[in-house]
Amino acid sequence: MGRAVAKKRSFLDTPGYLAFLAVVAFWAAASSGSPLYVRVLAGISATFAAGHLTVLLVRRRRDRRTVADGS
């Protein structure tokens, strides 16, 4: 049973969702209609989402290279 749980992947860790989250947060940060604190928090959220997306994509690429080299 532990193995099945380990294979299950959260929707929140998919690259598409992270890219969407970063775009929405950057959009909110750039919106002049939002109060300053909302824009600052959105900018911070966008930065973390973009960073997490980058880390996720680098790990995927590294894992694929490892598998390809091991074959």
Side-chain angles (χ1 to χ4, degrees):
M1 175 148 174
R3 189 171 231 184
V5 173
K7 286 186 177 183
K8 188 173 182 179
R9 186 171 166 187
S10 172
F11 172 73
L12 301 177
D13 273 338
T14 59
Y17 178 76
L18 288 172
F20 173 74
L21 183 64
V23 167
V24 169
F26 275 123
W27 188 285
S31 174
S32 61
S34 300
L36 179 61
Y37 74 93
V38 172
R39 291 184 295 183
V40 170
L41 291 175
I44 292 169
S45 297
T47 303
F48 279 119
H52 186 64
L53 177 62
T54 302
V55 168
L56 180 68
L57 293 177
V58 167
R59 280 186 188 157
R60 276 184 162 194
R61 187 174 184 179
R62 186 182 58 212
D63 291 345
R64 286 181 184 159
R65 280 187 181 171
T66 303
V67 170
D69 290 342
S71 300

